[in-house]
Amino acid sequence: MSLPHAILTALLERPSSGLELTRRFDRSIGYFWSATHQQIYRELGRLEEAGLIRALPGEVPVRGRKKEYEVLPAGSAELARWVEESQDPKPMRDPLLLRIRAAGVVGPQGLLPELRRHLELHRGQLETYEAIEAKDFPPGRDAVEDRLRRLVLHGGIALETFWLRWLEEALAEVDGMTAPDAPREGGDKA
């Protein structure tokens, strides 16, 4: 149920069209809650039908004009209700972790290139987050909304830092398993 709340949040920050929302998801919200263009448009329709948002009236009706949406009072109330609601953490579902578990059954061959690729992806993401922090959160920017956005960004930075440490550990471990003289099950070398 979080996509509608992500959209309400984005629209309260700034009324936007579906295309603008998609772009904003790609640049910010999407780092922690992703959605496709189709999902966003489908959800905009549901939110409008539920009376939580409305399309802003245009000066002149033009075919193909982008609809811009704003949040109605009922949408603000729903978002506030959701913020106060208790929610348990979601279990982690990560294909890389499942692949490593599967390698415990079929062997670690082929894991090293994928672990290296993931390491580079996480390094790139950390660099992106650090660039966002430097650009968007200079010293002295202490409004409540800035502090909360920075807090979310720091969560992303901490997660990427975790993944980098863990992937380096995993690479060292798997590299030791795939070395030609690595001990096999039962302590044999083969």
Side-chain angles (χ1 to χ4, degrees), residues 155-182:
I157 289 170
L159 284 171
E160 294 306 325
T161 302
F162 159 78
W163 278 112
L164 290 175
R165 278 195 316 265
W166 182 84
L167 284 161
E168 288 167 356
E169 177 187 343
L171 275 164
E173 188 76 24
V174 172
D175 191 37
M177 293 172 194
T178 58
D181 61 343

PDB file of all heavy atoms in Angstrom, residues 155-182:
ATOM      1  N   GLY A 155      20.033   7.120   5.441  1.00  0.00           N
ATOM      2  CA  GLY A 155      19.692   5.693   5.454  1.00  0.00           C
ATOM      3  C   GLY A 155      20.212   5.003   4.201  1.00  0.00           C
ATOM      4  O   GLY A 155      20.768   3.904   4.277  1.00  0.00           O
ATOM      5  N   GLY A 156      20.044   5.640   3.054  1.00  0.00           N
ATOM      6  CA  GLY A 156      20.566   5.076   1.801  1.00  0.00           C
ATOM      7  C   GLY A 156      22.080   4.963   1.817  1.00  0.00           C
ATOM      8  O   GLY A 156      22.653   3.964   1.377  1.00  0.00           O
ATOM      9  N   ILE A 157      22.749   5.987   2.330  1.00  0.00           N
ATOM     10  CA  ILE A 157      24.213   5.962   2.422  1.00  0.00           C
ATOM     11  C   ILE A 157      24.665   4.826   3.338  1.00  0.00           C
ATOM     12  O   ILE A 157      25.609   4.081   3.013  1.00  0.00           O
ATOM     13  CB  ILE A 157      24.742   7.331   2.902  1.00  0.00           C
ATOM     14  CG1 ILE A 157      24.559   8.368   1.786  1.00  0.00           C
ATOM     15  CG2 ILE A 157      26.202   7.240   3.347  1.00  0.00           C
ATOM     16  CD1 ILE A 157      24.817   9.809   2.221  1.00  0.00           C
ATOM     17  N   ALA A 158      23.986   4.653   4.458  1.00  0.00           N
ATOM     18  CA  ALA A 158      24.349   3.577   5.389  1.00  0.00           C
ATOM     19  C   ALA A 158      24.136   2.200   4.753  1.00  0.00           C
ATOM     20  O   ALA A 158      24.967   1.292   4.923  1.00  0.00           O
ATOM     21  CB  ALA A 158      23.537   3.699   6.681  1.00  0.00           C
ATOM     22  N   LEU A 159      23.035   2.035   4.012  1.00  0.00           N
ATOM     23  CA  LEU A 159      22.791   0.747   3.343  1.00  0.00           C
ATOM     24  C   LEU A 159      23.862   0.454   2.296  1.00  0.00           C
ATOM     25  O   LEU A 159      24.355  -0.677   2.197  1.00  0.00           O
ATOM     26  CB  LEU A 159      21.406   0.733   2.696  1.00  0.00           C
ATOM     27  CG  LEU A 159      20.242   0.542   3.645  1.00  0.00           C
ATOM     28  CD1 LEU A 159      18.917   0.768   2.927  1.00  0.00           C
ATOM     29  CD2 LEU A 159      20.276  -0.842   4.265  1.00  0.00           C
ATOM     30  N   GLU A 160      24.215   1.457   1.505  1.00  0.00           N
ATOM     31  CA  GLU A 160      25.245   1.236   0.484  1.00  0.00           C
ATOM     32  C   GLU A 160      26.593   0.923   1.128  1.00  0.00           C
ATOM     33  O   GLU A 160      27.342   0.076   0.645  1.00  0.00           O
ATOM     34  CB  GLU A 160      25.350   2.440  -0.452  1.00  0.00           C
ATOM     35  CG  GLU A 160      24.118   2.663  -1.305  1.00  0.00           C
ATOM     36  CD  GLU A 160      23.695   1.450  -2.117  1.00  0.00           C
ATOM     37  OE1 GLU A 160      24.559   0.680  -2.588  1.00  0.00           O
ATOM     38  OE2 GLU A 160      22.474   1.256  -2.287  1.00  0.00           O
ATOM     39  N   THR A 161      26.888   1.598   2.233  1.00  0.00           N
ATOM     40  CA  THR A 161      28.139   1.328   2.957  1.00  0.00           C
ATOM     41  C   THR A 161      28.135  -0.112   3.475  1.00  0.00           C
ATOM     42  O   THR A 161      29.140  -0.828   3.374  1.00  0.00           O
ATOM     43  CB  THR A 161      28.305   2.331   4.115  1.00  0.00           C
ATOM     44  OG1 THR A 161      28.296   3.663   3.562  1.00  0.00           O
ATOM     45  CG2 THR A 161      29.589   2.105   4.873  1.00  0.00           C
ATOM     46  N   PHE A 162      26.993  -0.558   4.005  1.00  0.00           N
ATOM     47  CA  PHE A 162      26.874  -1.945   4.441  1.00  0.00           C
ATOM     48  C   PHE A 162      27.139  -2.897   3.275  1.00  0.00           C
ATOM     49  O   PHE A 162      27.913  -3.850   3.390  1.00  0.00           O
ATOM     50  CB  PHE A 162      25.484  -2.234   5.027  1.00  0.00           C
ATOM     51  CG  PHE A 162      25.151  -3.703   5.003  1.00  0.00           C
ATOM     52  CD1 PHE A 162      25.684  -4.565   5.944  1.00  0.00           C
ATOM     53  CD2 PHE A 162      24.362  -4.237   3.985  1.00  0.00           C
ATOM     54  CE1 PHE A 162      25.420  -5.921   5.900  1.00  0.00           C
ATOM     55  CE2 PHE A 162      24.099  -5.597   3.935  1.00  0.00           C
ATOM     56  CZ  PHE A 162      24.625  -6.447   4.886  1.00  0.00           C
ATOM     57  N   TRP A 163      26.462  -2.664   2.138  1.00  0.00           N
ATOM     58  CA  TRP A 163      26.621  -3.571   0.994  1.00  0.00           C
ATOM     59  C   TRP A 163      28.064  -3.616   0.513  1.00  0.00           C
ATOM     60  O   TRP A 163      28.568  -4.685   0.153  1.00  0.00           O
ATOM     61  CB  TRP A 163      25.691  -3.159  -0.149  1.00  0.00           C
ATOM     62  CG  TRP A 163      24.294  -3.659   0.036  1.00  0.00           C
ATOM     63  CD1 TRP A 163      23.182  -2.914   0.282  1.00  0.00           C
ATOM     64  CD2 TRP A 163      23.859  -5.026   0.002  1.00  0.00           C
ATOM     65  NE1 TRP A 163      22.079  -3.732   0.404  1.00  0.00           N
ATOM     66  CE2 TRP A 163      22.472  -5.033   0.235  1.00  0.00           C
ATOM     67  CE3 TRP A 163      24.504  -6.245  -0.198  1.00  0.00           C
ATOM     68  CZ2 TRP A 163      21.725  -6.206   0.275  1.00  0.00           C
ATOM     69  CZ3 TRP A 163      23.761  -7.416  -0.160  1.00  0.00           C
ATOM     70  CH2 TRP A 163      22.388  -7.387   0.078  1.00  0.00           C
ATOM     71  N   LEU A 164      28.751  -2.486   0.506  1.00  0.00           N
ATOM     72  CA  LEU A 164      30.154  -2.489   0.080  1.00  0.00           C
ATOM     73  C   LEU A 164      31.004  -3.357   1.000  1.00  0.00           C
ATOM     74  O   LEU A 164      31.800  -4.180   0.525  1.00  0.00           O
ATOM     75  CB  LEU A 164      30.703  -1.060   0.029  1.00  0.00           C
ATOM     76  CG  LEU A 164      30.141  -0.175  -1.079  1.00  0.00           C
ATOM     77  CD1 LEU A 164      30.662   1.242  -0.946  1.00  0.00           C
ATOM     78  CD2 LEU A 164      30.457  -0.748  -2.453  1.00  0.00           C
ATOM     79  N   ARG A 165      30.837  -3.190   2.319  1.00  0.00           N
ATOM     80  CA  ARG A 165      31.610  -4.019   3.265  1.00  0.00           C
ATOM     81  C   ARG A 165      31.275  -5.496   3.094  1.00  0.00           C
ATOM     82  O   ARG A 165      32.158  -6.352   3.063  1.00  0.00           O
ATOM     83  CB  ARG A 165      31.313  -3.583   4.712  1.00  0.00           C
ATOM     84  CG  ARG A 165      32.094  -2.398   5.177  1.00  0.00           C
ATOM     85  CD  ARG A 165      32.054  -2.211   6.691  1.00  0.00           C
ATOM     86  NE  ARG A 165      30.740  -2.392   7.276  1.00  0.00           N
ATOM     87  CZ  ARG A 165      29.874  -1.418   7.532  1.00  0.00           C
ATOM     88  NH1 ARG A 165      30.191  -0.174   7.267  1.00  0.00           N
ATOM     89  NH2 ARG A 165      28.707  -1.668   8.064  1.00  0.00           N
ATOM     90  N   TRP A 166      29.982  -5.797   2.985  1.00  0.00           N
ATOM     91  CA  TRP A 166      29.572  -7.188   2.884  1.00  0.00           C
ATOM     92  C   TRP A 166      30.043  -7.807   1.570  1.00  0.00           C
ATOM     93  O   TRP A 166      30.515  -8.951   1.550  1.00  0.00           O
ATOM     94  CB  TRP A 166      28.048  -7.299   3.015  1.00  0.00           C
ATOM     95  CG  TRP A 166      27.597  -8.719   2.960  1.00  0.00           C
ATOM     96  CD1 TRP A 166      27.563  -9.600   4.000  1.00  0.00           C
ATOM     97  CD2 TRP A 166      27.171  -9.441   1.815  1.00  0.00           C
ATOM     98  NE1 TRP A 166      27.133 -10.826   3.556  1.00  0.00           N
ATOM     99  CE2 TRP A 166      26.885 -10.755   2.214  1.00  0.00           C
ATOM    100  CE3 TRP A 166      27.005  -9.098   0.468  1.00  0.00           C
ATOM    101  CZ2 TRP A 166      26.439 -11.731   1.323  1.00  0.00           C
ATOM    102  CZ3 TRP A 166      26.562 -10.064  -0.423  1.00  0.00           C
ATOM    103  CH2 TRP A 166      26.276 -11.365   0.026  1.00  0.00           C
ATOM    104  N   LEU A 167      29.939  -7.082   0.467  1.00  0.00           N
ATOM    105  CA  LEU A 167      30.383  -7.622  -0.829  1.00  0.00           C
ATOM    106  C   LEU A 167      31.888  -7.845  -0.856  1.00  0.00           C
ATOM    107  O   LEU A 167      32.355  -8.829  -1.437  1.00  0.00           O
ATOM    108  CB  LEU A 167      29.946  -6.702  -1.968  1.00  0.00           C
ATOM    109  CG  LEU A 167      28.470  -6.813  -2.326  1.00  0.00           C
ATOM    110  CD1 LEU A 167      28.002  -5.594  -3.105  1.00  0.00           C
ATOM    111  CD2 LEU A 167      28.196  -8.098  -3.103  1.00  0.00           C
ATOM    112  N   GLU A 168      32.645  -6.968  -0.221  1.00  0.00           N
ATOM    113  CA  GLU A 168      34.093  -7.189  -0.137  1.00  0.00           C
ATOM    114  C   GLU A 168      34.391  -8.460   0.651  1.00  0.00           C
ATOM    115  O   GLU A 168      35.255  -9.254   0.282  1.00  0.00           O
ATOM    116  CB  GLU A 168      34.785  -5.967   0.461  1.00  0.00           C
ATOM    117  CG  GLU A 168      34.815  -4.803  -0.513  1.00  0.00           C
ATOM    118  CD  GLU A 168      35.204  -3.476   0.111  1.00  0.00           C
ATOM    119  OE1 GLU A 168      35.388  -3.406   1.358  1.00  0.00           O
ATOM    120  OE2 GLU A 168      35.311  -2.494  -0.648  1.00  0.00           O
ATOM    121  N   GLU A 169      33.664  -8.666   1.736  1.00  0.00           N
ATOM    122  CA  GLU A 169      33.813  -9.894   2.521  1.00  0.00           C
ATOM    123  C   GLU A 169      33.416 -11.112   1.688  1.00  0.00           C
ATOM    124  O   GLU A 169      34.114 -12.136   1.668  1.00  0.00           O
ATOM    125  CB  GLU A 169      32.943  -9.823   3.774  1.00  0.00           C
ATOM    126  CG  GLU A 169      32.959 -11.080   4.616  1.00  0.00           C
ATOM    127  CD  GLU A 169      31.955 -11.024   5.764  1.00  0.00           C
ATOM    128  OE1 GLU A 169      31.482  -9.928   6.119  1.00  0.00           O
ATOM    129  OE2 GLU A 169      31.645 -12.105   6.308  1.00  0.00           O
ATOM    130  N   ALA A 170      32.293 -11.020   0.985  1.00  0.00           N
ATOM    131  CA  ALA A 170      31.812 -12.129   0.162  1.00  0.00           C
ATOM    132  C   ALA A 170      32.802 -12.446  -0.961  1.00  0.00           C
ATOM    133  O   ALA A 170      33.073 -13.619  -1.244  1.00  0.00           O
ATOM    134  CB  ALA A 170      30.431 -11.799  -0.426  1.00  0.00           C
ATOM    135  N   LEU A 171      33.351 -11.415  -1.595  1.00  0.00           N
ATOM    136  CA  LEU A 171      34.342 -11.643  -2.661  1.00  0.00           C
ATOM    137  C   LEU A 171      35.563 -12.383  -2.129  1.00  0.00           C
ATOM    138  O   LEU A 171      36.042 -13.338  -2.755  1.00  0.00           O
ATOM    139  CB  LEU A 171      34.770 -10.310  -3.278  1.00  0.00           C
ATOM    140  CG  LEU A 171      33.882  -9.788  -4.380  1.00  0.00           C
ATOM    141  CD1 LEU A 171      34.145  -8.313  -4.646  1.00  0.00           C
ATOM    142  CD2 LEU A 171      34.078 -10.612  -5.648  1.00  0.00           C
ATOM    143  N   ALA A 172      36.061 -11.965  -0.981  1.00  0.00           N
ATOM    144  CA  ALA A 172      37.229 -12.631  -0.396  1.00  0.00           C
ATOM    145  C   ALA A 172      36.905 -14.085  -0.057  1.00  0.00           C
ATOM    146  O   ALA A 172      37.692 -14.995  -0.340  1.00  0.00           O
ATOM    147  CB  ALA A 172      37.694 -11.884   0.850  1.00  0.00           C
ATOM    148  N   GLU A 173      35.732 -14.309   0.506  1.00  0.00           N
ATOM    149  CA  GLU A 173      35.325 -15.668   0.891  1.00  0.00           C
ATOM    150  C   GLU A 173      35.159 -16.562  -0.333  1.00  0.00           C
ATOM    151  O   GLU A 173      35.684 -17.676  -0.386  1.00  0.00           O
ATOM    152  CB  GLU A 173      34.017 -15.581   1.684  1.00  0.00           C
ATOM    153  CG  GLU A 173      33.579 -16.875   2.307  1.00  0.00           C
ATOM    154  CD  GLU A 173      34.371 -17.238   3.547  1.00  0.00           C
ATOM    155  OE1 GLU A 173      34.940 -16.363   4.207  1.00  0.00           O
ATOM    156  OE2 GLU A 173      34.411 -18.448   3.859  1.00  0.00           O
ATOM    157  N   VAL A 174      34.426 -16.095  -1.326  1.00  0.00           N
ATOM    158  CA  VAL A 174      34.167 -16.906  -2.523  1.00  0.00           C
ATOM    159  C   VAL A 174      35.442 -17.098  -3.322  1.00  0.00           C
ATOM    160  O   VAL A 174      35.692 -18.178  -3.865  1.00  0.00           O
ATOM    161  CB  VAL A 174      33.042 -16.269  -3.384  1.00  0.00           C
ATOM    162  CG1 VAL A 174      32.905 -16.995  -4.718  1.00  0.00           C
ATOM    163  CG2 VAL A 174      31.723 -16.301  -2.620  1.00  0.00           C
ATOM    164  N   ASP A 175      36.289 -16.074  -3.383  1.00  0.00           N
ATOM    165  CA  ASP A 175      37.560 -16.209  -4.090  1.00  0.00           C
ATOM    166  C   ASP A 175      38.397 -17.322  -3.460  1.00  0.00           C
ATOM    167  O   ASP A 175      39.024 -18.111  -4.159  1.00  0.00           O
ATOM    168  CB  ASP A 175      38.319 -14.885  -4.066  1.00  0.00           C
ATOM    169  CG  ASP A 175      39.511 -14.884  -5.002  1.00  0.00           C
ATOM    170  OD1 ASP A 175      39.412 -15.481  -6.100  1.00  0.00           O
ATOM    171  OD2 ASP A 175      40.545 -14.285  -4.643  1.00  0.00           O
ATOM    172  N   GLY A 176      38.376 -17.405  -2.125  1.00  0.00           N
ATOM    173  CA  GLY A 176      39.098 -18.473  -1.439  1.00  0.00           C
ATOM    174  C   GLY A 176      38.522 -19.848  -1.737  1.00  0.00           C
ATOM    175  O   GLY A 176      39.238 -20.845  -1.767  1.00  0.00           O
ATOM    176  N   MET A 177      37.223 -19.926  -1.988  1.00  0.00           N
ATOM    177  CA  MET A 177      36.574 -21.210  -2.292  1.00  0.00           C
ATOM    178  C   MET A 177      36.859 -21.677  -3.705  1.00  0.00           C
ATOM    179  O   MET A 177      36.856 -22.875  -3.973  1.00  0.00           O
ATOM    180  CB  MET A 177      35.048 -21.076  -2.167  1.00  0.00           C
ATOM    181  CG  MET A 177      34.547 -20.828  -0.796  1.00  0.00           C
ATOM    182  SD  MET A 177      32.768 -20.483  -0.925  1.00  0.00           S
ATOM    183  CE  MET A 177      32.490 -19.823   0.695  1.00  0.00           C
ATOM    184  N   THR A 178      37.050 -20.732  -4.603  1.00  0.00           N
ATOM    185  CA  THR A 178      37.216 -21.100  -6.008  1.00  0.00           C
ATOM    186  C   THR A 178      38.680 -21.216  -6.410  1.00  0.00           C
ATOM    187  O   THR A 178      38.980 -21.540  -7.537  1.00  0.00           O
ATOM    188  CB  THR A 178      36.516 -20.072  -6.931  1.00  0.00           C
ATOM    189  OG1 THR A 178      37.056 -18.774  -6.673  1.00  0.00           O
ATOM    190  CG2 THR A 178      35.016 -20.068  -6.701  1.00  0.00           C
ATOM    191  N   ALA A 179      39.598 -20.950  -5.473  1.00  0.00           N
ATOM    192  CA  ALA A 179      41.021 -21.102  -5.772  1.00  0.00           C
ATOM    193  C   ALA A 179      41.296 -22.568  -6.066  1.00  0.00           C
ATOM    194  O   ALA A 179      40.679 -23.464  -5.476  1.00  0.00           O
ATOM    195  CB  ALA A 179      41.852 -20.621  -4.587  1.00  0.00           C
ATOM    196  N   PRO A 180      42.240 -22.854  -6.992  1.00  0.00           N
ATOM    197  CA  PRO A 180      42.507 -24.244  -7.394  1.00  0.00           C
ATOM    198  C   PRO A 180      42.856 -25.166  -6.238  1.00  0.00           C
ATOM    199  O   PRO A 180      42.522 -26.337  -6.262  1.00  0.00           O
ATOM    200  CB  PRO A 180      43.695 -24.127  -8.363  1.00  0.00           C
ATOM    201  CG  PRO A 180      43.781 -22.694  -8.738  1.00  0.00           C
ATOM    202  CD  PRO A 180      43.073 -21.902  -7.692  1.00  0.00           C
ATOM    203  N   ASP A 181      43.493 -24.661  -5.194  1.00  0.00           N
ATOM    204  CA  ASP A 181      43.882 -25.531  -4.071  1.00  0.00           C
ATOM    205  C   ASP A 181      42.974 -25.363  -2.865  1.00  0.00           C
ATOM    206  O   ASP A 181      43.330 -25.755  -1.761  1.00  0.00           O
ATOM    207  CB  ASP A 181      45.344 -25.262  -3.691  1.00  0.00           C
ATOM    208  CG  ASP A 181      45.580 -23.822  -3.241  1.00  0.00           C
ATOM    209  OD1 ASP A 181      44.705 -22.963  -3.521  1.00  0.00           O
ATOM    210  OD2 ASP A 181      46.618 -23.560  -2.620  1.00  0.00           O
ATOM    211  N   ALA A 182      41.772 -24.821  -3.063  1.00  0.00           N
ATOM    212  CA  ALA A 182      40.838 -24.624  -1.941  1.00  0.00           C
ATOM    213  C   ALA A 182      40.344 -25.971  -1.446  1.00  0.00           C
ATOM    214  O   ALA A 182      40.064 -26.868  -2.233  1.00  0.00           O
ATOM    215  CB  ALA A 182      39.663 -23.763  -2.385  1.00  0.00           C
TER     216      ALA A 182
END
